[in-house]
Amino acid sequence: MKTSAHMSLVQLAFEMTSLRIPVANIMPLRQLSPAVLKSVKYAQIAASIAEVGIIEPPVVVRDEKDPNGFHLLDGHIRVDILRNRGETEVVCLVATEDEAFTYNKRVSRIAIVQEHRMILKAIEKGVSEERLARALNVNISSIRHKRALLDGICQEVVDLIKDRHVPINTIGELRKLKPFRQIEAAELMITMNRFSVSYARSIVAATPESQLVRGSKSVKGLTLQQIEMMESESASLDREFRAIEQDYGSDHLDVVLAIGYVTRLLESAALVRHMAQHHAGILEEFQKIAELQKAA
């Protein structure tokens, strides 16, 4: 659940009013790749802007040296499309913090959730489902499906998956679970880095009836013994996840300290010469570890 303190922090992350800014004064933090420019998502957003305009304002932060300059934190595709359309101004939210990382932690950024939020905002502004369907080049049933995307999904799960590329049908599987089990399932998917519909269905199949939403059916073709085995495996995996989660912080710190120590050792020319003469194999492995540090 979001606390009032958390909501205050989010509100303080932005200036109180939006601002109409010349597009020429907005400096992107990154360039869009050719693949993004040719993607279906880019074409959909372009069609949406042409049909209903900008629904979700881009987010910028003021340049510390230039009073008329702004850095673009979020909305690179939208601003690029506006430039190509010859638009001269756009209404933006102005962030009070200069780190895109901080902003992105608080706002849903995955494509499916962003599209869901865009649809809701458009409907709130009076845009019809038919017009949205034309803008996004999809049928009306798809709009209605996406409009109800997060119905039955608890807020904690939305926060967990907001930066993940989760298929829309996977979210449908999560909807079959009660809130606490939804959270467990989302954590399992993140741990395994697997968000496929088949994996979500396996979690649902391994879920006891008591943790399923009323009316949700178990997977067909499984015997009671198979379901009990899946439930046992799921519980075991959950225990392993908790154990790994508890140890991760200290283990990661140990690895960082060890890598740092090895890197400092290799700064000694005399030590490197000695190891090259007497322990060439160990030196090679140490150098690989040092390269990992540089890559990180």
Side-chain angles (χ1 to χ4, degrees), residues 257-269:
L257 291 175
I259 292 175
Y261 179 69
V262 169
T263 302
R264 288 195 300 274
L265 285 179
L266 295 180
E267 292 173 357
S268 169

Side-chain angles (χ1 to χ4, degrees), residues 112 115-116 119-120 123 127-134 136 138-151 168 175:
I112 188 66
E115 192 170 43
H116 163 75
I119 288 171
L120 290 184
I123 291 173
V127 179
S128 68
E129 291 179 343
E130 291 82 2
R131 193 176 175 191
L132 276 173
R134 288 197 305 271
L136 296 176
V138 296
N139 57 43
I140 294 212
S141 63
S142 176
I143 290 291
R144 290 170 179 164
H145 193 186
K146 291 174 181 176
R147 178 182 180 180
L149 176 73
L150 299 179
D151 289 358
I168 192 169
R175 198 175 289 116

Side-chain angles (χ1 to χ4, degrees), residues 2 99-101 135 217 244 263 289:
K2 294 185 182 294
E99 293 187 17
F101 172 75
K217 297 179 180 179
I244 292 171
T263 302
I289 292 173

Side-chain angles (χ1 to χ4, degrees), residues 20-24 26 32 37 42 45-60 72 74-92:
R20 184 174 293 277
I21 301 172
V23 173
I26 301 174
L32 297 178
L37 296 175
Y42 187 97
I45 295 174
S48 172
I49 290 174
E51 186 72 28
V52 298
I54 290 285
I55 296 171
E56 185 176 0
V59 178
V60 299
L72 182 60
D74 179 77
H76 285 73
I77 290 179
R78 279 163 279 163
V79 171
D80 186 76
I81 291 169
L82 290 175
R83 279 201 179 97
N84 292 335
R85 285 173 54 85
E87 303 287 346
T88 58
E89 293 182 324
V90 60
V91 174
C92 298

Side-chain angles (χ1 to χ4, degrees), residues 157-174:
V157 170
V158 174
D159 291 339
L160 284 171
I161 66 173
K162 63 185 179 182
D163 297 316
R164 313 281 175 168
H165 293 280
V166 182
I168 192 169
N169 289 334
T170 293
I171 295 176
E173 291 298 317
L174 290 176

Side-chain angles (χ1 to χ4, degrees), residues 232-283:
S232 176
E233 290 293 333
S234 177
S236 176
L237 181 59
D238 187 56
R239 287 193 298 270
E240 291 176 11
F241 165 75
R242 302 295 177 189
I244 292 171
E245 187 179 41
Q246 290 175 1
D247 295 338
Y248 174 79
S250 58
D251 289 347
H252 181 67
L253 178 60
D254 289 342
V255 170
V256 170
L257 291 175
I259 292 175
Y261 179 69
V262 169
T263 302
R264 288 195 300 274
L265 285 179
L266 295 180
E267 292 173 357
S268 169
L271 179 61
V272 171
R273 284 195 300 270
H274 175 80
M275 294 187 70
Q277 293 174 3
H278 304 286
H279 306 285
I282 295 177
L283 176 61

